[in-house]
Amino acid sequence: MNKQEIIEILSDNTKNDWLFKEADKIRRENVGDEVHLRGLIEFSNICKRQCKYCGLRSANKEIERYRILKDEILTYVQNAVKMGYRTVVLQSGEDEYYDTDKMVEIIREIKKFDVALTLSIGEKTYDEFKAFKDAGADRYLIRIETTDKKLYQEMHPHASFENRVRCLYDLKSLGFETGTGCLVGLPNQTIESLADDILFFKELDADMIGIGPFIPHEQTPLKDAEKGNFWLALKVMALTRINLPNINIPATTAMETLNPNGRIIALQSGANVVMPNVTSKEYRAKYEIYPGKICINENPEQCRGCIEGKIKAIGRTISREKGFRQKDRS
Ligand code: 5AD
Ligand code: FES
């Protein structure tokens, strides 16, 4: 699709049912009915950054900060493997305590289990990414958040859009399965820029795309901003599936925060991945990127059972594979 076609679909709500069905069909034809589960470990909520929308921003003094150290991370990995997960995702704020050596050690230990490993730990240098890759990391997530450069700079004080883009191209060139994505509903975000986001995903040839609605957080400068629209976020996701047919697309937690059936609706509108939390309850509420996060009172076993039931109820199956991008399926 070209930009104009994407804009037309995003601006017209009369064809939403067609769009979601089309994305569901393209998902089935290209990546099948299997849903890949990724076990998410939110191992530190300490962050040096100031992203205006994010509850973990360092200026937020109200949240209790935590770090989960290597041995405890490994117990979550071990338990995740026992529950049948074939991928773990390590996610954190940009926490300088975990320097390259510490991360490399954690990566090596995790890779002793038979799992694919995804990192989601922020902007790094080429050499750091390379060290993670050499240690065995398979995938890396870093959302572009928005391709509207002016909006990007407004949302990310002291950060640079160019560096964000540089990270993504470095990751691709190092052979990571590279994930990115955007927020939908940021203040002053336009439909045109959402179309550009999708074209950017295509240009990068991203392997994974995560899309979620913006949800205002009380302890951020955007506390009074309007929240993003669930259906618009779903449309951006569906259009992403249509334009990048064989990639992996998660039904994001933020979707479910705005709609109690959000992840299942997403799985029926183009998504093929879910990322349940596999850490213990004590950390979940503290990783408050946005309010109303789901699963904060559940343990890993409960989430696993819950999501498995929901996936089976819509006639889909849970993959036993690591779930890399299916490049050569037509
Ligand atoms: N609402 C929704 N999503 C958010 N993220 C950060 N803050 C918010 C918010 N307030 C998303 C960003 C980030 C991901 C980990 O969480 O897109 O990349
Ligand atoms: Fe956590 Fe449903 S996935 S309770």
Side-chain angles (χ1 to χ4, degrees), residues 144-197:
I144 191 71
E145 315 293 1
T146 175
T147 54
D148 176 339
K149 209 181 140 184
K150 187 165 163 276
L151 180 60
Y152 186 92
Q153 295 300 163
E154 236 167 77
M155 290 293 120
H156 306 96
H158 321 296
S160 125
F161 179 73
E162 284 74 20
N163 194 50
R164 197 85 174 168
V165 174
R166 191 268 309 156
C167 285
L168 285 163
Y169 281 93
D170 279 357
L171 290 163
K172 263 283 184 190
S173 76
L174 283 163
F176 278 98
E177 279 209 334
T178 303
T180 187
C182 62
L183 283 165
V184 177
L186 289 170
N188 301 319
Q189 189 178 38
T190 62
I191 291 290
E192 286 73 19
S193 84
L194 290 169
D196 283 332
D197 293 353

Side-chain angles (χ1 to χ4, degrees), residues 20-57:
F20 300 142
K21 281 208 184 84
E22 188 65 16
D24 193 43
K25 180 169 149 253
I26 290 177
R27 185 271 307 154
R28 189 178 318 111
E29 287 168 357
N30 288 276
V31 297
D33 277 333
E34 289 194 329
V35 175
H36 300 285
L37 297 184
R38 321 293 199 198
L40 177 64
I41 301 176
E42 296 163 334
F43 69 97
S44 166
N45 67 355
I46 297 173
C47 191
K48 64 178 182 193
R49 294 204 175 255
Q50 290 301 342
C51 308
K52 281 200 182 145
Y53 45 78
C54 182
L56 304 188
R57 65 201 307 273

Side-chain angles (χ1 to χ4, degrees), residues 52-53 214-227:
K52 281 200 182 145
Y53 45 78
F214 158 66
I215 302 164
H217 188 292
E218 200 42 49
Q219 280 116 34
T220 67
L222 299 184
K223 62 177 160 46
D224 297 320
E226 206 172 312
K227 68 170 190 253

Side-chain angles (χ1 to χ4, degrees), residues 4 6-14 191-192 232 235:
Q4 204 45 45
I6 296 174
I7 289 172
E8 267 163 38
I9 294 175
L10 287 176
S11 326
D12 176 1
N13 278 328
T14 64
I191 291 290
E192 286 73 19
L232 182 59
K235 287 176 75 173

